[in-house]
């Protein structure tokens, strides 16, 4: 059997596909973080908790109100976005004048609260969310069975990421956003409502986390701790990519998913740490991150 | 009363409290509070005086706990040697982290330390020496110079109290030394400190290593107290908890974090049985409250109150 | 029941005769501490149900036996962390005069509390934790291991699966002490029964995404994929195996699963799986009667941990009553002398290494259409007699056992 370093091609390709799926989650989450960071200069520690909330809202929708996956995919991000807007108006807006670290600390506190509440209500053993009927089954790619749902995750996240990039880089709204990021005071002087843009950006970034949560619900169990396990990896992704560009966060997210997938083939024990090792390497060679600009 | 007399009276009071505490409270709990107080003060050395928010201090706390535990259990070294090895290991780890992390500032610094600490956590989970998920159990407390049996809680208490007092003394010396002044200068205005000719990175690294080493002392001591080193010590929640203690007690005040540690540890001890998993919600609320309305912390607020009452700025 | 009481009385008489000093119960209060997982991954297995099972045992004991001493139950959440468990145990023994600590789901908490108990000379009755270390390397004379262990569950399940024709195995193992010991126990059984092991892959603990490890297992072409993990990890592996079309082509064998896991996953995902438990609520009239009472209080059927706790606490209280003492060594001697006969165990007995030996049962999960009512999940395929189910003393690594 031919292969790479003794690993047969089918196994390798299979793991690469899986890496792509994980990378899709990293990409959506780090994209949301990048949008928020761009506008608010805050690292949103609550991102993981809001991702978890997205998964829970999807589960609750199905369980209590009979709202299916399709509607959840549309409604949950909006709901989580609204939660984000409330958070921004109620808490974050008071911190913009202070050291940015306070934003990190506040969102850390919020993450503890959100996680604790869900944990108290639902325990941590995880709740099942069935894969929606039209997306069950698998494609036989020859080298592996790719479950339809995983393919769907890749497709949705790629199109959402691409859409976000187009909106920010190619539309008028995006131009306002970028202007407000570069120089909020000047942008306000042109008559643009910068605080509103900030609020919307936070709502949007958090909404992306909610979307990722809905996408994740059928893949992983719906679990109050699902976010905190993931968010630290995403932080490393953000450090590796640098917060410089929207595209950068997407590419890094997917790329690291793939690297993680490869490590599972060649040295599975390292799969939990490989992202952090890459981060250390990048920091030594390019402290600003792959796509970051030196301040 | 003059300033110096007041300060001396304060220290005497603190020492008296430290000596008498086990008469009134459960000694194991007091020792836990002391370990976390040292941990929080060491952490505050970095955040409060150098302006660096590390979200990865659990790595030093847990790393030292494991090294000390392993040395005590497998090599049967004397208690103090075990603690020293733990402290040194934490210092070495701190040097490594510091080299990587001080390349970036502010939020990036926090995220990098968090990610590196998570890597240490996974290593602790996977290497065979730590007992993985079961933790390193049954670490012998041993004796002090072969004379004093540390298995007795009272005896151990006075050793722990002395060690922590040593730690506090080092921290206080560091803060009030020229080194501490330079750190504060860097925190207030880094470009100016650079233009004054200070090798800022070196100072930051030194502060980081010192903070890591003292954190390691706290972690190693905790292993001795509980005969136990576990993954909890290295988990990111522990990193978050120490930030909370510092914030509650008073960021940038010398002993505020110790007060914060006392409050949080006692609160957790009292609440754990009553509200179960809601503890983390309560901790989160305290966090949010501190950040929004109470940024000076308990000691900071008291100092401000005292100043406004006496009209004295210092 | 009557013969049971008789033996208890006899044992009491014997131990009284053997006892030297006047027996007594400190403060005339027997205090039972339930240290369990109230909110974590094992809270469905143990948690509030476990505490209530202990309460039931105490209430029933007071009603039936009208003891002259008072009984108190305290409980706490150890969050599956050895350090929290060890601190709590220290505090309970030092400050609150707790006589016995029980449940201790997850191995790390059990081992931690056992060490403290030995130091303070108090009793431990482990029910929720499963590692064989409890009665081997780490055994001591103040601990009883009541409900099950990984040897029993891996042994029962692996043997049955090999006999059904699952000759070649591949293990999906949680990368920590507990997972590794589960894998080792099962490997021995597979080899001993003429099967072969093609390899294993270790996943980080706790894991969320098992797909890549499952792909490796799939590529091995083994008949059976043995799941040497527990709780949420097992649940996720099973779900994802179905998604990747691994089942039903290859069979999954859960080496440690509980009825609460089956309940959480649903029959569709688990049908046909073999698993070994020491209790199932729907086995006979006795188990049904007790379980229905439990159900009325907890709105869920008991797990083997709940049932085992009830049995253990009842046995303990009878020993206290019989000896008229809460002295650790006296009560332990009485417990070891008296056989256990209740709805949980028949002719059970406690060995010198602390293992409570009793029958365990090989179950097969029903197909959804075979399940007639709520919680109707298992076919009981085989009763494995106690001396076959648990590791024989001849292979014991416990220092208390003289070889």
């Amino acid at each position: 059997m031919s292969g790479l370093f003794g690993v047969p091609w089918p196994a390798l390709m299979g793991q690469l596909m899986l890496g792509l799926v994980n990378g899709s989650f990293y990409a959506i989450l780090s994209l949301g973080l990048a949008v928020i960071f761009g506008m608010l200069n805050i690292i949103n520690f609550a991102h993981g908790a809001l991702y978890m909330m997205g998964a829970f809202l999807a589960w609750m929708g199905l369980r209590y109100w009979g709202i299916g996956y399709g509607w959840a995919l549309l409604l949950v991000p909006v709901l989580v976005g609204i939660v984000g807007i409330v958070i921004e108006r109620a808490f974050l807006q008071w911190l913009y004048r202070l050291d940015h670290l306070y934003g990190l600390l506040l969102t850390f506190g919020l993450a503890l609260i959100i996680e604790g509440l869900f944990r108290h209500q639902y325990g941590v053993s995880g709740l099942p969310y069935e894969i929606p009927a039209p997306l069950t089954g698998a494609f036989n790619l020859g080298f592996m069975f790719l479950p339809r749902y995983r393919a769907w995750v890749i497709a949705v996240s790629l199109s959402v990421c691409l859409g976000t990039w187009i909106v920010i880089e190619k539309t008028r709204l995006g131009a306002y956003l970028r202007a407000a990021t570069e120089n909020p005071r000047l942008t306000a002087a042109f008559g643009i409502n910068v605080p509103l843009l900030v609020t919307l950006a936070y709502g949007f970034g958090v909404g992306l986390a909610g979307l990722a949560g809905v996408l994740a619900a059928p893949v992983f169990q719906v679990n109050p701790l699902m976010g905190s396990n993931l968010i630290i990896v995403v932080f490393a992704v953000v450090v590796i990519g640098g917060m410089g560009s929207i595209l950068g966060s997407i590419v890094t997210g997917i790329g690291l998913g793939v690297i993680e997938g490869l490590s599972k083939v060649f040295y599975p024990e390292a799969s939990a740490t490989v992202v952090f090792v890459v981060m250390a390497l990048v920091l030594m060679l390019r402290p600003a991150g792959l796509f970051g600009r030196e301040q | 009363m003059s300033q110096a007399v007041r300060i001396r009276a304060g220290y005497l009071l603190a020492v008296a409290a430290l000596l008498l505490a086990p008469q009134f409270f459960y000694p194991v709990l007091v020792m836990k509070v002391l370990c976390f107080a040292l941990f929080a003060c060491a952490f505050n050395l970095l955040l409060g005086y150098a302006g660096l928010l590390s979200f990865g201090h659990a790595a030093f706390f847990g790393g030292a706990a494991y090294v000390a535990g392993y040395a005590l259990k497998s090599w049967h070294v004397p208690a103090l040697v075990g603690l020293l090895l733990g402290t040194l290991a934490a210092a070495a780890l701190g040097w490594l982290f510091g080299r990587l992390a001080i390349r970036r500032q502010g939020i990036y610094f926090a995220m990098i330390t968090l990610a590196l600490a998570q890597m240490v956590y996974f290593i602790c989970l996977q290497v065979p020496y730590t007992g993985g998920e079961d933790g390193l159990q049954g670490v012998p407390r041993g004796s002090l110079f072969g004379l004093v049996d540390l298995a007795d809680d009272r005896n151990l208490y006075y050793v722990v109290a002395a060690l922590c007092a040593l730690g506090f003394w080092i921290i206080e010396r560091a803060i009030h030394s020229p080194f501490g002044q330079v750190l504060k200068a860097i925190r207030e205005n880094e470009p100016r400190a650079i233009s004054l000719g200070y090798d800022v990175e070196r100072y930051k690294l030194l502060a980081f290593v010192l903070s890591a080493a003292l954190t390691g002392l706290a972690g190693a001591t905790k292993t001795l107290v509980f005969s136990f080193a576990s993954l909890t010590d290295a988990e990111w929640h522990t990193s978050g908890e120490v930030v909370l203690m510092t914030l509650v007690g008073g960021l940038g005040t010398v002993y505020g974090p110790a007060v914060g540690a006392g409050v949080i540890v006692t609160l957790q001890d009292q609440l754990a049985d009553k509200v179960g998993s809601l503890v983390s919600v309560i901790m989160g609320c305290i966090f949010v409250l501190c950040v929004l309305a109470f940024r000076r912390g308990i000691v900071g607020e008291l100092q401000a109150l005292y100043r406004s009452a006496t009209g004295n700025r210092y | 029941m009557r013969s049971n009481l008789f033996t208890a009385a006899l044992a009491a008489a014997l131990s009284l005769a053997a006892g030297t000093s006047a027996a007594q119960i400190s403060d005339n209060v027997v205090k039972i501490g339930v240290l369990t997982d109230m909110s974590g991954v094992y809270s469905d297995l143990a948690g509030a149900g476990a505490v209530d099972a202990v309460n039931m045992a105490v209430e029933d004991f007071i009603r039936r036996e009208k003891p002259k001493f008072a009984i108190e139950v305290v409980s706490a959440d150890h969050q599956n962390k050895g350090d929290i468990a060890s601190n709590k145990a220290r505090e309970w023994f030092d400050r609150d005069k707790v006589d016995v600590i029980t449940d201790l789901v997850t191995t790390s908490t059990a081992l931690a509390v056992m060490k403290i108990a030995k130091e303070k000379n108090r009793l431990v009755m482990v029910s929720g934790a499963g590692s064989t270390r409890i009665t081997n390397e780490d055994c001591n004379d103040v601990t009883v291991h009541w409900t099950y262990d990984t040897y029993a569950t891996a042994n029962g399940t692996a043997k049955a699966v090999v006999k059904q024709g699952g000759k070649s195995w591949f293990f999906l193992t949680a990368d920590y002490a507990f997972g590794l010991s589960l894998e080792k126990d099962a490997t021995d059984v597979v080899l001993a029964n003429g099967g072969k092991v093609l390899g294993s892959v270790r996943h980080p603990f706790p894991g969320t995404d098992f797909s890549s490890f499952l792909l490796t297992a799939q590529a091995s072409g083994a008949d059976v994929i043995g799941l040497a993990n527990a709780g949420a990890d097992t649940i996720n592996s099973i779900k994802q195996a179905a998604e990747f079309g691994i089942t039903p082509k290859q069979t999954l064998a859960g080496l440690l699963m509980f009825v609460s896991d089956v309940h959480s996953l649903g029959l569709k995902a688990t049908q046909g799986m073999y698993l070994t438990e020491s209790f199932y609520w729907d086995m006979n009239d006795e188990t049904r009667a007790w379980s229905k009472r439990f159900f009325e209080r907890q709105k869920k059927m008991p797990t083997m941990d709940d049932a085992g706790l009830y049995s253990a606490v009842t046995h303990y209280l009878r020993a206290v009553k019989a000896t008229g003492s809460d002295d650790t060594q006296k009560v332990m001697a009485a417990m070891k002398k008296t056989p256990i006969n209740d709805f949980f165990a028949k002719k059970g007995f406690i060995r010198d290494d602390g293992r409570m030996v009793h029958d365990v049962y090989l179950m097969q999960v029903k197909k959804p259409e075979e399940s007639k009512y709520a919680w109707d999940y298992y076919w009981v395929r085989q009763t494995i007699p106690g001396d076959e189910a648990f590791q024989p003393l001849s292979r014991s690594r416990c220092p208390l056992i003289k070889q």
Side-chain angles (χ1 to χ4, degrees):
Chain A
M1 204 174 351
S2 71
L4 193 65
F5 304 124
V7 176
W9 284 116
L12 195 62
M13 294 301 289
Q15 300 292 8
L16 277 180
M17 286 307 288
L18 292 178
L20 215 53
V21 177
N22 281 343
S24 305
F25 286 111
Y26 296 159
I28 302 190
L29 290 171
S30 67
L31 173 65
L33 281 177
V35 169
I36 293 171
F37 182 78
M39 286 303 293
L40 287 80
N41 257 315
I42 277 177
I43 279 294
N44 187 31
F45 215 122
H47 220 65
L50 291 162
Y51 155 83
M52 176 270 290
M53 188 191 260
F56 259 99
L57 285 176
W59 179 87
M60 286 156 79
L62 191 64
R63 174 76 189 267
Y64 300 131
W65 307 294
I67 297 167
Y69 178 81
W71 282 106
L73 208 54
L74 292 175
L75 290 177
V76 169
V78 175
L79 268 174
V80 176
I82 291 172
V83 171
I85 287 172
V86 172
I87 290 175
E88 198 274 339
R89 285 288 90 193
F91 303 113
L92 291 176
Q93 65 155 328
W94 309 107
L95 299 176
Y96 296 144
R97 285 170 296 105
L98 302 168
D99 194 319
H100 301 150
L101 292 177
Y102 283 108
L104 178 72
L105 295 180
L106 184 101
T107 47
F108 178 75
L110 290 175
L112 284 184
I113 297 175
I114 297 171
E115 216 177 84
L117 285 175
F118 278 98
R119 207 178 145 158
H120 181 71
Q121 194 61 37
Y122 296 102
V124 294
S125 42
L127 302 159
Y129 189 94
E130 293 292 319
I131 293 171
L135 293 170
T136 51
F139 300 112
N140 191 346
L141 301 182
F143 57 87
M144 75 176 295
F145 271 81
L146 181 65
R148 273 166 208 259
Y149 187 79
R150 306 249 171 176
W152 165 255
V153 168
I154 300 176
V156 171
S157 79
L158 281 184
S159 32
V160 167
C161 289
L162 209 67
T164 309
W165 178 71
I166 289 172
V167 167
I168 291 180
E169 298 292 332
K170 309 287 177 208
T171 65
R172 182 168 286 269
L173 178 68
Y176 290 156
L177 269 171
R178 278 177 292 136
T181 309
E182 285 295 328
N183 192 336
R185 235 185 244 168
L186 196 63
T187 314
F190 280 110
I192 291 162
N193 188 345
V194 174
L196 180 70
L197 274 184
V198 167
T199 308
L200 288 180
Y202 190 77
F204 177 74
V206 158
L208 283 180
L211 177 74
V214 183
L215 284 176
V219 179
F220 312 121
Q221 296 254 314
V222 178
N223 185 320
L225 301 180
M226 66 195 286
S228 58
N229 294 335
L230 193 60
I231 196 65
I232 300 177
V233 178
V234 176
F235 277 180
V237 169
V238 165
V239 173
I240 293 166
M243 289 288 213
S245 73
I246 298 294
L247 204 58
S249 66
I250 301 170
V251 172
T252 325
I254 293 175
L256 282 166
V258 170
I259 290 176
E260 207 181 54
L262 285 180
S263 82
K264 283 175 183 164
V265 185
F266 294 108
Y267 191 55
E269 284 82 0
S271 63
T273 43
V274 67
V275 174
F276 305 116
V277 174
V278 173
M279 185 192 77
L281 286 175
V282 169
L283 276 172
M284 278 190 273
L285 302 171
R286 270 187 72 99
L290 295 178
F291 298 86
R293 286 166 295 179
E294 203 67 67
Q295 292 135 325
Chain B
M1 256 196 305
S2 78
Q3 181 84 9
V5 172
R6 263 207 311 274
I7 289 178
R8 204 159 298 161
Y11 280 121
L12 275 177
L13 212 67
V15 169
L18 215 52
L19 289 177
L20 290 177
Q23 309 296 333
F24 300 102
F25 303 100
Y26 181 47
V28 176
L29 183 66
V30 188
M31 286 191 273
K32 186 178 180 191
V33 168
L34 280 175
C35 290
F36 275 96
L38 179 59
F39 183 12
C41 287
F43 170 81
N44 183 47
L45 183 64
L46 207 56
L47 178 57
Y49 293 92
L52 292 170
L53 170 61
S54 156
F55 234 104
H57 258 49
F60 312 130
F61 192 70
Y66 276 120
V67 170
Y70 190 79
L72 289 167
K73 194 178 173 185
S74 302
W75 300 336
H76 308 289
V77 298
L80 289 185
V81 176
L83 296 186
L84 186 69
L85 286 174
T87 310
L88 288 178
L93 198 60
W95 183 80
L96 212 67
F97 273 35
R99 283 300 298 273
L100 285 170
I102 53 174
R103 288 157 175 259
R104 306 301 309 269
Q105 291 159 349
I107 299 168
Y108 276 103
F109 183 85
M111 283 197 292
I112 292 165
T113 46
L114 175 61
L116 289 173
Q118 189 72 357
M119 187 161 85
V120 171
Y121 170 81
F122 278 116
I123 293 171
C124 288
L125 179 66
Q126 289 178 343
V127 294
Y129 313 107
T130 59
E133 207 240 356
D134 299 336
L136 205 58
Q137 301 181 344
V139 176
R141 281 181 177 180
S143 65
L144 192 67
F145 310 123
L147 296 173
V148 185
D149 180 18
L150 296 182
D152 182 79
D153 282 347
R154 289 288 160 89
N155 292 348
L156 184 66
Y157 173 81
Y158 291 107
V159 173
V160 169
L163 283 170
C164 289
L166 175 75
F168 293 135
W169 181 76
I170 294 174
I171 290 169
E172 185 158 339
R173 291 299 302 167
I175 289 170
H176 293 126
S177 68
F179 167 72
Q181 298 303 323
V182 176
L183 283 185
K184 272 182 246 175
I186 294 171
R187 180 190 65 188
E188 295 305 327
N189 193 337
E190 186 165 338
R192 174 177 267 180
I194 295 171
S195 70
L196 284 172
Y198 288 112
D199 186 349
V200 168
E201 296 227 330
R202 251 179 78 101
Y203 275 96
K204 281 188 185 172
L205 186 60
L206 202 59
F208 200 92
V209 171
L210 185 60
S211 170
L214 289 169
T215 300
L217 178 61
T221 310
K222 183 176 168 273
T223 301
L224 200 63
V225 173
F226 291 109
S227 313
F228 207 119
S230 77
L231 284 173
T232 317
D233 302 333
E235 232 176 24
W236 64 275
H237 277 110
T238 306
S239 297
E241 244 164 48
V242 78
V243 181
L244 181 60
M245 288 168 189
T246 309
L247 213 57
V248 167
L251 194 69
T253 61
V254 184
Y255 289 110
V259 175
V263 171
I264 298 294
V265 170
T266 318
L267 209 60
Q268 281 173 341
D269 183 68
Q270 293 297 313
L271 287 177
D273 298 343
K274 295 183 188 109
V275 297
S277 54
L278 284 180
V279 170
S280 86
V281 177
I282 293 170
M283 293 298 137
C285 290
I286 298 175
F287 232 115
V288 170
L289 205 71
C290 279
V291 172
L292 283 180
F294 197 52
R295 278 187 290 274
R296 283 186 290 209
I298 297 171
V299 171
E301 294 288 345
L302 287 177
Q303 278 176 353
L305 215 71
Y306 178 74
R307 272 175 216 156
S308 64
T310 56
N312 188 350
R313 278 201 69 223
Y314 292 99
Chain C
M1 199 51 156
R2 193 159 294 159
S3 71
N4 189 6
L5 270 178
F6 176 71
T7 38
L10 192 67
L14 281 172
S15 61
L16 272 179
T20 45
S21 65
Q24 59 174 29
I25 292 168
S26 53
D27 304 340
N28 209 32
V29 177
V30 172
K31 224 170 187 181
I32 303 170
V34 188
L35 203 45
T36 186
D37 175 12
M38 299 299 286
S39 56
V41 271
Y42 299 120
S43 54
D44 286 348
L45 164 69
V51 179
D52 208 30
V54 172
N55 282 330
M56 271 173 84
V58 171
E59 286 163 26
D60 289 357
F61 182 80
I62 292 176
R63 202 179 55 240
R64 285 186 197 141
E65 316 234 344
K66 305 199 170 41
K68 293 203 178 70
F69 50 87
I71 306 167
E72 266 180 52
V73 178
V74 287
S75 66
D77 185 2
H78 62 45
Q79 300 171 33
N80 296 325
K81 288 175 181 157
D83 50 340
I84 296 181
S86 128
N87 298 353
K88 197 77 216 172
R90 215 177 261 281
E91 216 179 287
W92 271 354
F93 290 147
D94 282 350
R95 281 206 298 206
D96 303 335
K97 295 190 180 137
V98 166
D99 294 295
V100 55
I101 293 184
T102 189
D103 199 16
L104 299 167
V105 65
T106 63
T107 301
S108 53
T109 64
L111 296 176
V113 171
M114 283 164 64
K115 293 206 170 68
I116 308 279
K118 178 68 191 160
E119 191 185 316
K120 312 273 177 193
N121 193 29
R122 307 284 171 89
L123 269 173
V124 177
M125 295 190 292
V126 178
S127 172
S131 170
T132 38
R133 277 172 61 183
I134 294 166
T135 50
N136 283 286
E137 297 89 320
D138 292 278
C139 75
N140 63 31
D141 60 352
V142 296
T143 304
V144 181
H145 195 186
W146 204 269
T147 306
Y148 74 99
D149 63 26
T150 53
Y151 183 92
T153 58
N155 187 19
T157 308
K159 201 185 269 177
V161 174
V162 175
K163 277 190 183 147
Q164 298 290 324
K167 293 289 182 199
S168 62
W169 284 61
F170 191 91
F171 288 101
L172 185 66
T173 306
D175 194 10
Y176 64 93
F178 165 80
L180 301 182
S181 92
L182 201 49
E183 179 190 328
K184 193 189 145 293
D185 286 341
T187 301
D188 292 348
V189 176
V190 170
L191 296 179
N193 287 278
K196 59 179 189 246
V197 175
L198 301 179
S200 73
V201 62
R202 285 164 193 182
H203 67 75
F205 168 86
T208 44
D209 183 22
F210 296 90
S211 45
S212 57
F213 306 107
L214 285 166
L215 280 191
T216 312
Q218 188 177 34
S220 75
D223 302 333
V224 183
I225 299 172
L227 303 178
N229 49 21
D233 284 352
T234 307
I235 291 177
N236 280 332
S237 329
I238 293 171
K239 271 181 76 169
Q240 292 176 12
E243 209 189 323
F244 281 87
I246 291 174
T247 45
K249 271 186 226 151
Q250 286 162 299
T251 315
L252 291 185
L255 299 175
L256 179 54
M257 278 183 73
F258 305 96
V259 74
S260 48
D261 295 332
V262 174
H263 183 67
S264 160
L265 276 159
L267 292 180
K268 195 165 152 250
T270 52
Q271 55 182 311
M273 286 185 78
Y274 286 98
L275 47 92
T276 307
E277 290 214 60
S278 43
F279 175 82
Y280 174 47
W281 72 274
D282 202 9
M283 275 192 303
N284 56 47
D285 289 341
E286 240 183 315
T287 58
R288 273 187 290 273
W290 183 79
S291 302
K292 284 190 173 141
R293 280 175 56 212
F294 182 89
F295 187 87
E296 273 161 30
R297 298 163 74 117
Q298 286 290 316
K299 302 297 163 226
K300 60 174 190 182
M301 281 300 174
T303 60
M304 64 169 154
D305 181 46
D306 300 326
L309 272 172
Y310 181 94
S311 166
V313 169
T314 307
H315 190 67
Y316 167 78
L317 288 173
R318 282 189 184 143
V320 173
K321 192 185 176 204
T323 54
S325 162
D326 60 0
D327 176 78
T328 298
Q329 290 309 329
K330 277 184 196 143
V331 174
M332 183 59 110
M335 281 172 72
K336 282 185 175 165
K337 257 176 220 145
T338 322
I340 296 119
N341 276 299
D342 54 19
F343 71 90
F344 175 78
K346 293 277 172 276
K347 290 187 198 144
F349 62 94
I350 301 167
R351 287 196 312 215
D352 286 340
D353 61 351
R355 176 72 254 163
M356 201 282 263
V357 178
H358 53 84
D359 297 351
V360 301
Y361 308 92
L362 179 70
M363 317 283 189
Q364 189 174 20
V365 180
K366 287 186 172 177
K367 298 194 179 92
E369 62 271 20
E370 290 168 339
S371 173
K372 298 281 181 276
Y373 37 86
W375 291 87
D376 179 18
Y377 291 153
Y378 292 161
W379 298 113
V380 180
R381 291 298 186 205
Q382 192 194 334
T383 300
I384 307 167
D387 45 353
E388 255 179 65
F390 293 98
Q391 178 187 283
L393 277 182
S394 57
R395 288 176 53 200
S396 176
R397 301 182 298 277
C398 172
L400 295 174
I401 304 297
K402 292 191 191 76
Q403 294 291 345

